Amino acid sequence: MLTLKPAKFATPIAVTIALIAGGIAAPAQAQTTSANLSSDIETTNDHSSQASSKASSKEPNAVRAESIYIYTNGVRIVNGRKPVRRSPALNHLSQDWADHLAQEGELQHRPNHWEYYPSSIPAGGENVLQAWDDYSNAQLVKMWADSPGHRKNLLDPQAKSVGIGVAKDKDGKLFAVQNFGR
């Protein structure tokens, strides 16, 4: 059984564990191939976590970004990494790119994303994904965790901060971006 001291991470971690154990069948893109994350975590009986993992598709972007931040740290903690702190500057960078992706309707990494980082934040990796607006925030983080390249960024032991941006296009496609700082 997983026991954590910081109470504010207990529920997101339980939800993250439940999602990792349960898998996701719906289609989406994360620009790399998927890998099975189930071997990372042994789970025990958790009855309420699946119900709490559903996100409303009507959530404002800032609320979704905050939830994604919590799930991101849940995955980091479960995998023995320190949590990252939120960075307003990286949030702005990530939101700017998410808005661009939603406007263009095409998933791609920001070319030379590190050139856009503030000089006070050493650049880390960038994660992007496209899913549908009805995906839960936990499912979005799981998509990154299941993709080897994105997982590497998500679990980077040198990462100290993160910015998250979320936007959707007119057809309901959701674009999410994470930029990690070191």
Side-chain angles (χ1 to χ4, degrees):
M1 181 170 178
L2 179 65
T3 307
L4 297 173
K5 301 244 182 205
K8 66 182 180 179
F9 290 114
T11 300
I13 291 172
V15 173
T16 302
I17 291 170
L19 278 165
I20 290 169
I24 298 173
Q29 297 176 8
Q31 285 197 339
T32 59
T33 59
S34 292
N36 188 345
L37 194 63
S38 298
S39 62
D40 287 353
I41 303 169
E42 286 193 30
T43 60
T44 58
N45 205 2
D46 186 352
H47 298 291
S48 63
S49 64
Q50 294 250 344
S52 65
S53 70
K54 294 296 178 189
S56 167
S57 63
K58 304 297 182 202
E59 282 184 294
N61 293 342
V63 173
R64 286 201 84 151
E66 174 67 17
S67 178
I68 290 168
Y69 166 74
I70 292 168
Y71 287 112
T72 295
N73 275 330
V75 170
R76 288 181 60 83
I77 291 168
V78 165
N79 285 278
R81 301 297 192 272
K82 291 181 180 179
V84 288
R85 68 182 182 284
R86 289 176 300 227
S87 165
L90 292 181
N91 281 342
H92 179 74
L93 176 68
S94 297
Q95 188 61 54
D96 177 64
W97 191 244
D99 291 341
H100 172 81
L101 294 174
Q103 183 178 2
E104 296 296 317
E106 185 177 319
L107 184 66
Q108 61 183 354
H109 285 278
R110 183 190 294 257
N112 303 323
H113 73 275
W114 54 89
E115 293 178 0
Y116 295 87
Y117 274 59
S119 60
S120 60
I121 303 173
E126 175 185 72
N127 286 343
V128 298
L129 67 76
Q130 181 269 308
W132 294 104
D133 191 33
D134 63 349
Y135 272 49
S136 74
N137 300 325
Q139 286 174 306
L140 299 176
V141 174
K142 183 183 181 324
M143 288 169 55
W144 280 320
D146 283 351
S147 165
H150 296 98
R151 179 182 176 81
K152 181 180 176 184
N153 293 336
L154 186 69
L155 298 179
D156 180 355
Q158 295 180 349
K160 293 180 176 65
S161 59
V162 68
I164 298 167
V166 180
K168 63 181 175 178
D169 72 5
K170 61 183 175 6
D171 298 324
K173 283 194 285 187
L174 181 87
F175 295 88
V177 177
Q178 291 180 316
N179 286 103
F180 291 92
R182 292 183 165 181

